[in-house]
Amino acid sequence: MEKRNMENDEISLKELIGKIKEWYSYLLLQWKIIILAGIVGGFLGIAYAFVKKPIYTATLSFALEDEKGGSGLGGALGLVSSFGLDLGGSGGGIFTGTNLSELFKSRSMVEKTLLSPVDFNGKKISLAEMYIQNNSWREAWDKNPKFSSIQFLPNADQKKFTRQQDSILGVIYGSLLKTDLAVGQRDKKISIITIDVSSKNELFAKYFCEELAKQVGDFYIETKSRKARLNMAILEKQVDSIRTELNGAITGVAIANDNTFNLNPALNVRRSPSVRRQVDVQANTAILTELVKQSELAKVTLRKETPLIQVIDRPILPLYKQRIGKIKGLVVGGLIAGILIVFFLILRRILKNAYN
């Protein structure tokens, strides 16, 4: 039985080698067709390299420094563990783990960025309008009455947008998120955020990258220092209120003293309003002193709670440009066309043998 199995294996191997030689001989006879297809594919690759627009990539990197942590970049550990940003002693909160990358990619942040104003061709337009012009959407919209009047004005109120406007912003957001926006760390050991934005329009890539970083930074600062700002606002309001009461009490003491000038010493009851106003002055003075102290402490706390966003590298024109070279187009186009024609010839012969 073992001898028979070995003989079967040898026969199968010989058949396999024979088949390979047979297919090789067949393809060798078709060399003219294969070379012709490779030449045609090479020319198509060169044509594609000419037609294909280059892709520009804008890169911005920055770090966040939080004084609350008190230990350099380690004190920034609450915005995101990978960036070392700190929202609190326990490292919890909404800006932890991978949430930072999701914040940059969130629809809210991206759409706010798209509605930001930029100067383009001497006009102030939104980034959304710039994206639409770059992709020549308006040429098709002009033929459709539902879209011909749609405009995305700078700093427009999204609550007043129509269904079509929300839908268009959603399409732009999906396109950017799919291929054009990347956020992360190039090195896990370095707590630096890197934003990459790719576009066929060099200015759009630069403007969008810078504005997205600004929008996310403002949102983070506002969220991070919200409690401290509310506390300081309350204290300042209380200080103003107590100062008004103190001024009124001081004026009341002066009025009461004027009313009791040269008063008969036997009529001490007439001096009671002045005494009461003096008590009010002393009480309000003590309260105001404490509130002013707390207000100053609140200002110091707000400064500590407000993180410092330090931009390390900004996108500078000209941006990094990625395009398909003519030689690369020739080689890649020729290889693809050659492989496809080989598969076509093999498939044609298989089908021909199957029907014969």
Side-chain angles (χ1 to χ4, degrees), residues 321-341:
K321 180 170 62 175
Q322 183 181 8
R323 66 180 307 162
I324 300 176
K326 301 178 185 64
I327 296 177
K328 184 178 179 180
L330 174 65
V331 173
V332 174
L335 286 176
I336 293 175
I339 293 171
L340 289 176
I341 197 64

Side-chain angles (χ1 to χ4, degrees), residues 5-71:
N5 290 334
M6 291 178 63
E7 290 178 354
N8 291 335
D9 292 340
E10 290 179 359
I11 293 173
S12 299
L13 182 59
K14 289 179 179 179
E15 289 179 351
L16 178 61
I17 295 173
K19 286 290 184 181
I20 293 175
K21 289 181 177 180
E22 182 183 347
W23 281 110
Y24 175 75
S25 300
Y26 169 73
L27 293 175
L28 194 61
L29 292 174
Q30 307 294 329
W31 67 272
K32 292 182 180 179
I33 298 176
I34 296 174
I35 290 179
L36 180 61
I39 293 173
V40 173
F43 279 111
L44 290 176
I46 294 175
Y48 180 78
F50 274 107
V51 175
K52 179 67 175 179
K53 292 183 178 179
I55 302 297
Y56 297 93
T57 301
T59 301
L60 185 145
S61 60
F62 67 92
L64 299 181
E65 182 181 358
D66 187 357
E67 291 185 8
K68 186 177 179 181
S71 60

Side-chain angles (χ1 to χ4, degrees), residues 76-292:
L77 203 46
L79 179 57
V80 61
S81 58
S82 60
F83 293 104
L85 306 170
D86 185 11
L87 286 181
S90 63
I94 63 172
F95 296 112
T96 57
T98 58
N99 287 354
L100 180 65
S101 297
E102 296 304 318
L103 179 62
F104 273 98
K105 297 177 182 179
S106 66
R107 180 162 180 167
S108 174
M109 292 294 101
V110 172
E111 289 187 352
K112 283 183 179 180
T113 303
L114 287 171
L115 294 176
S116 300
V118 293
D119 290 325
F120 182 64
N121 292 334
K123 296 181 180 179
K124 182 166 285 189
I125 62 175
S126 65
L127 281 169
E129 194 68 32
M130 188 175 179
Y131 183 92
I132 292 169
Q133 293 182 17
N134 293 339
N135 291 274
S136 304
W137 288 1
R138 291 223 170 268
E139 297 176 2
W141 290 359
D142 290 339
K143 303 175 183 178
N144 190 334
K146 291 184 179 180
F147 297 98
S148 58
S149 61
I150 290 179
Q151 296 287 336
F152 291 94
L153 300 176
N155 298 321
D157 187 3
Q158 285 185 261
K159 296 180 180 178
K160 298 180 180 179
F161 277 4
T162 62
R163 184 184 182 91
Q164 287 80 8
Q165 285 176 303
D166 288 333
S167 177
I168 292 168
L169 280 182
V171 171
I172 297 175
Y173 166 72
S175 177
L176 290 171
L177 196 65
K178 185 177 181 181
T179 58
D180 300 336
L181 177 61
V183 183
Q185 286 177 276
R186 293 183 177 177
D187 189 342
K188 294 296 182 181
K189 297 179 181 179
I190 302 175
S191 301
I192 296 176
I193 308 169
T194 302
I195 311 167
D196 292 323
V197 177
S198 301
S199 175
K200 296 177 182 178
N201 186 295
E202 188 177 26
L203 289 178
F204 178 84
K206 181 179 184 296
Y207 292 155
F208 186 87
C209 184
E210 292 177 334
E211 190 61 31
L212 179 61
K214 179 180 179 298
Q215 291 290 340
V216 175
D218 291 345
F219 177 80
Y220 170 67
I221 290 174
E222 180 183 358
T223 305
K224 180 72 170 62
S225 59
R226 181 174 297 170
K227 281 187 178 181
R229 285 188 291 105
L230 290 175
N231 184 46
M232 191 182 72
I234 293 172
L235 286 172
E236 288 180 343
K237 186 176 181 180
Q238 290 177 338
V239 167
D240 293 339
S241 177
I242 295 300
R243 183 175 280 114
T244 301
E245 291 293 329
L246 177 60
N247 292 336
I250 292 173
T251 303
V253 170
I255 293 173
N257 288 337
D258 291 342
N259 292 334
T260 58
F261 184 71
N262 288 330
L263 182 67
N264 189 341
L267 302 175
N268 287 327
V269 69
R270 299 283 298 275
R271 300 181 185 275
S272 58
S274 176
V275 175
R276 285 196 298 270
R277 302 302 291 178
Q278 287 177 354
V279 172
D280 291 341
V281 169
Q282 293 174 356
N284 287 327
T285 300
I287 295 172
L288 182 62
T289 301
E290 186 63 27
L291 285 176
V292 170

